[in-house]
Amino acid sequence: MSGRLVVVSNRVPLPNERGPRAGGLAVALADALGPGSLWFGWSGRRTARAGATSATLAESDGIAYATIDLSETEYRLFYAGFSNRVLWPLLHFRLGLVQYRSDEYHAYRVVNRRFAEALAPLLRPDDLVWVHDYHLFPLGEELRARGIGNRIGFFLHTPFVPPEVLRALPRAEQILASLCAYDVVGFHTEQFRAGFLRSTHEILGLTPDEGGGVTMGGRRAQTIVDPIGIDAEGFAAAAEQSWRGSEVRRLRASLAGRALAIGVDRLDYSKGLVQRLDGFARLLARYPEHHQRVSFLQVAARSREDVSEYQDLRIELDRMVGDTIGQYSQFDWVPVRYMTRPLRRGTLAGFYRAAAMGVVTPLRDGMNLVAKEYVAAQNPEDPGVLILSRFAGAAAELTEALIVNPYDPEEIADAMHSALTMRLEERQARHRALREQVWTGTARRFSERFLAALQATDGSA
Ligand code: ADQ
């Protein structure tokens, strides 16, 4: 690759804060972010007044980190507000949860401008700039307005919606037009790309060309489908190693020979946690043979706690878990174990391996990496079964999972029953096919494909 890679994301996981929170993007980009590259974004710090426009620099393992702080007000309006109370629910098809306020939209634009002002002076002419996610839709446009002619790509980690849904967003035209300032716009699935192209057609009147590009104001944006993956080999090794560690040993001892079912998510309304717990309660109601035989561990790491819908969800889940435990527990068996603290990645890998079924039932999800991690962690000789929502981007690839409608707790209960009673040969056959997918579509492939597409654009249009 010629030129330096510059990654831009809302939140930069700084080198001194590694831990459970430094997951997702840091892992996905680990191969691409070699020495010499730059990662730019928000430090995670909130200040009383608007921060400086120049970035704070740090370096670790040859990677430069440039961050800016957000003021309390910017955080509230840009992050908790427009990003997470408008764009997040909208992109997950939850129009009823969208709460639009023009001051929040204004702050969203201002913060993107501030990002551009702080980033522009750090850029060199042949840098490849790769912007991530919905917090930063307008960043490319803001960089262009400052005369930045570099190749700039954008990848969306959430779903993209069809125009019928997008039209509910005040300022949809501006958001869509700002995406056309990028050279490459990437999505996890063909369906999301199609939603974008239909939207630019119906809302902006742009006709896509044969190569899947749209041209606006003389600049062409290439759309691509680039499903994100994981470091399958590394994750499988972590699972094997952790299998022998003390935490997995303690977990298995606590199960006393019972099967483990596992769910791992951020505590987010898009993840289908209510319907999933309902599904598990119905499994116990409809198939009493599983009483005493299975324990369901749900790890739901607290997230976005200053958005009220997340607080409401937490209360609802506390109640549901309490109900199920109260109704079905016996003095020596608790059917549901529920924790809102995140687990370390290594521990998580071992727990997946210990689980006879992985339950991944988001109502909508861009990809869902937990599904891929669960597959990678299994012992191929005696693999567990993945239950996967048809509305996760991962369902486009992981077709040999037990695919369910996450809105239907009875279907989830039936799939759990099938998973718990599935014969070894069928488990192995399904796992072989899933494993093939997860090992082919890795994190490395994801970034290579994106950067190759970005490099292939002429960049100076
Ligand atoms: P998320 O919505 O955060 O990401 P997901 O892909 O499932 O969803 O998880 C990201 C990572 O966080 C995974 O590596 C997972 O192991 C870890 N994680 C989640 N819950 C955890 C917990 N309770 N404890 C410890 N670790 C936990 C967004 C999109 C997804 C998309 C990713 C990447 O919403 O659809 O797959 O970006 O593009």
Side-chain angles (χ1 to χ4, degrees):
M1 186 175 88
S2 69
R4 181 175 66 153
L5 173 62
V6 177
V7 167
V8 189
S9 63
N10 170 53
R11 182 74 165 83
V12 175
L14 287 164
N16 58 2
E17 51 166 339
R18 294 271 154 77
R21 301 187 64 188
L25 202 53
V27 174
L29 297 179
D31 291 319
L33 269 167
S37 38
L38 168 70
W39 194 336
F40 178 90
W42 174 39
S43 60
R45 278 188 297 271
R46 297 188 237 164
T47 55
R49 290 188 301 121
T53 41
S54 60
T56 305
L57 299 172
E59 205 201 289
S60 171
D61 295 333
I63 303 172
Y65 294 84
T67 53
I68 58 172
D69 301 341
L70 291 181
S71 73
E72 277 298 340
T73 310
E74 285 174 333
Y75 173 83
R76 199 161 36 79
L77 303 181
F78 152 79
Y79 181 77
F82 191 72
S83 296
N84 285 324
R85 249 193 302 263
V86 177
L87 291 177
W88 179 267
L90 177 99
L91 293 167
H92 290 85
F93 293 71
R94 299 294 289 274
L95 289 182
L97 297 179
V98 170
Q99 298 168 50
Y100 177 80
R101 283 176 38 171
S102 59
D103 59 336
E104 292 182 350
Y105 178 67
H106 178 72
Y108 177 79
R109 301 294 309 205
V110 168
V111 169
N112 271 272
R113 204 165 304 144
R114 229 156 65 64
F115 266 54
E117 277 163 11
L119 175 59
L122 304 177
L123 292 178
R124 301 175 193 155
D126 60 349
D127 283 346
L128 283 181
V129 184
W130 187 1
V131 179
H132 290 264
D133 235 0
Y134 60 98
H135 316 84
L136 301 176
F137 281 139
L139 183 64
E141 190 178 43
E142 294 290 348
L143 288 169
R144 299 281 182 232
R146 278 156 191 79
I148 301 297
N150 295 49
R151 293 182 175 91
I152 312 179
F154 177 88
F155 187 83
L156 182 63
H157 290 265
T158 68
F160 198 88
V161 288
E164 296 78 11
V165 177
L166 191 66
R167 275 186 200 281
L169 172 67
R171 317 287 178 189
E173 297 84 352
Q174 290 177 16
I175 295 285
L176 269 178
S178 68
L179 276 165
C180 297
Y182 291 101
D183 295 299
V184 172
V185 183
F187 303 93
H188 288 300
T189 70
E190 190 55 59
Q191 190 188 68
F192 305 158
R193 169 165 71 169
F196 174 73
L197 288 175
R198 274 187 56 215
S199 297
T200 48
H201 183 60
E202 291 181 25
I203 299 176
L204 298 181
L206 304 175
T207 305
D209 59 41
E210 283 189 354
V214 281
T215 300
M216 203 180 94
R219 177 173 287 282
R220 179 172 184 275
Q222 171 72 52
T223 61
I224 62 165
V225 174
D226 187 15
I228 198 169
I230 62 166
D231 167 15
E233 205 64 63
F235 203 83
E240 253 190 82
Q241 194 187 359
S242 147
W243 178 255
R244 292 185 288 272
S246 69
E247 283 165 318
V248 173
R249 240 182 295 130
R250 276 168 54 206
L251 172 68
R252 295 180 64 212
S254 77
L255 289 166
R258 296 181 182 104
L260 175 70
I262 195 165
V264 175
D265 310 77
R266 281 186 305 99
L267 207 163
D268 191 298
Y269 53 73
S270 67
K271 301 294 182 184
L273 293 163
V274 167
Q275 290 82 350
R276 185 186 310 170
L277 282 168
D278 192 6
F280 185 70
R282 284 176 203 235
L283 171 81
L284 299 176
R286 283 165 80 147
Y287 303 96
E289 63 265 39
H290 297 301
H291 291 199
Q292 280 281 9
R293 298 247 167 84
V294 62
S295 283
F296 179 33
L297 170 62
Q298 176 63 53
V299 189
R302 282 180 244 162
S303 169
R304 303 178 193 167
E305 290 181 277
D306 32 22
V307 178
S308 63
E309 283 72 26
Y310 290 72
Q311 295 160 9
D312 298 345
L313 175 64
R314 195 165 164 209
I315 294 168
E316 167 81 354
L317 291 172
D318 284 351
R319 192 191 57 74
M320 287 186 78
V321 170
D323 278 356
T324 307
I325 289 178
Q327 188 171 353
Y328 292 103
S329 286
Q330 294 167 19
F331 66 87
D332 58 349
W333 170 63
V334 178
V336 181
R337 303 171 182 201
Y338 175 63
M339 49 193 283
T340 57
R341 259 170 305 154
L343 288 171
R344 283 190 315 106
R345 290 188 71 70
T347 308
L348 198 58
F351 284 14
Y352 288 141
R353 194 177 177 91
M357 82 186 167
V359 194
V360 181
T361 54
L363 303 178
R364 288 281 161 180
D365 222 326
M367 172 56 69
N368 197 299
L369 292 176
V370 170
K372 295 188 172 184
E373 291 167 354
Y374 178 76
V375 170
Q378 296 311 300
N379 172 4
E381 308 282 307
D382 184 19
V385 179
L386 175 65
I387 297 178
L388 180 61
S389 160
R390 66 174 64 239
F391 301 125
E397 297 168 274
L398 304 182
T399 51
E400 290 306 304
L402 294 182
I403 304 287
V404 295
N405 179 345
Y407 289 92
D408 185 348
E410 287 175 7
E411 195 181 327
I412 295 174
D414 289 343
M416 287 175 167
H417 176 68
S418 302
L420 289 169
T421 54
M422 193 180 284
R423 285 175 27 252
L424 177 65
E425 300 76 58
E426 183 176 351
R427 283 193 278 125
Q428 287 173 332
R430 285 180 182 272
H431 180 254
R432 262 195 306 278
L434 294 172
R435 195 181 140 91
E436 175 69 28
Q437 284 290 336
V438 173
W439 256 256
T440 319
T442 57
R444 180 187 288 252
R445 281 292 296 136
F446 161 73
S447 46
E448 281 174 356
R449 212 165 23 221
F450 190 92
L451 293 171
L454 187 55
Q455 199 108 55
T457 62
D458 75 12
S460 54

